[in-house]
Amino acid sequence: MGAKLWAAAGLTGGLLLAGGGWYAVAGTDSSTHAVCAADLSKDPVVADEFKAMAVVETVKHTRAWDDEGGSSFLSSQVHVLRTLQGTVPEVLTVTQGVTKKGTAAGGYVDDDPLYAVLEPGRQYVVGIETMDNEGQGPWVGYVAPAKRGVDGEAAHWRDVQRAPVPAPAHCDDVVIG
């Protein structure tokens, strides 16, 4: 294990211990949570957030399921038409969070207008996270229809990757309790 990895592990462990100590001292009357996320409405942020991106065509849905917490997931096999950044295999199965809408085939939506549900036969730009969803393949944290065609999307994202990443928006903390 390299020195940087050991340092990161030590820092993470220290932060966990400090957080646990704070929680033990402060009690459970209230807690503060940061409610921040990357602004995926800005393409430079998307390109910075996802180290692997590609233009894909959805081949088929391979699995849909609900977890015990009420969340729904959809895994889809995709064919990579063009890698935009990082390393992406030619064919892979990706998983995304969805919302159930009826029981008919294709009965899934997403409440976020910036996050499309992969549909067979259609082309999308995807940002792929490296995490594995319990053996279901890489997670897509960004899905948008490929409106510019494969070559147009490649040119657009090449330009986006050269653009400066905007500073993150102010992150407000919310006190719960």
Side-chain angles (χ1 to χ4, degrees):
M1 201 181 284
K4 287 182 182 177
L5 190 52
W6 277 111
L11 179 60
T12 301
L15 290 172
L16 288 172
L17 286 172
W22 172 85
Y23 182 77
V25 171
T28 59
D29 291 338
S30 67
S31 61
T32 302
H33 300 278
V35 286
C36 305
D39 183 357
L40 299 183
S41 68
K42 296 180 172 100
D43 289 350
V45 174
V46 172
D48 186 61
E49 186 77 14
F50 299 98
K51 300 307 175 203
M53 292 184 67
V55 179
V56 301
E57 183 169 324
T58 309
V59 177
K60 64 182 177 179
H61 295 304
T62 58
R63 181 176 177 214
W65 73 100
D66 301 321
D67 71 6
E68 293 175 9
S71 297
S72 299
F73 304 94
L74 182 64
S75 290
S76 304
Q77 182 184 32
V78 297
H79 174 76
V80 174
L81 304 173
R82 177 86 50 95
T83 298
L84 302 174
Q85 64 185 21
T87 303
V88 183
E90 187 176 328
V91 175
L92 71 155
T93 299
V94 296
T95 300
Q96 67 180 138
V98 293
T99 301
K100 275 188 161 182
K101 182 181 177 185
T103 57
Y108 292 94
V109 297
D110 194 284
D111 298 328
D112 185 343
L114 298 173
Y115 186 76
V117 175
L118 295 166
E119 294 181 33
R122 297 202 174 163
Q123 296 178 355
Y124 299 90
V125 173
V126 295
I128 303 167
E129 295 179 15
T130 57
M131 72 177 228
D132 185 75
N133 187 31
E134 298 176 8
Q136 296 306 312
W139 185 269
V140 287
Y142 175 81
V143 180
K147 300 178 211 164
R148 301 170 187 93
V150 176
D151 291 336
E153 291 293 352
H156 170 75
W157 288 97
R158 189 171 37 252
D159 291 343
V160 165
Q161 291 165 0
R162 291 185 212 133
V165 178
H170 176 69
C171 178
D172 291 325
D173 289 338
V174 175
V175 177
I176 301 174

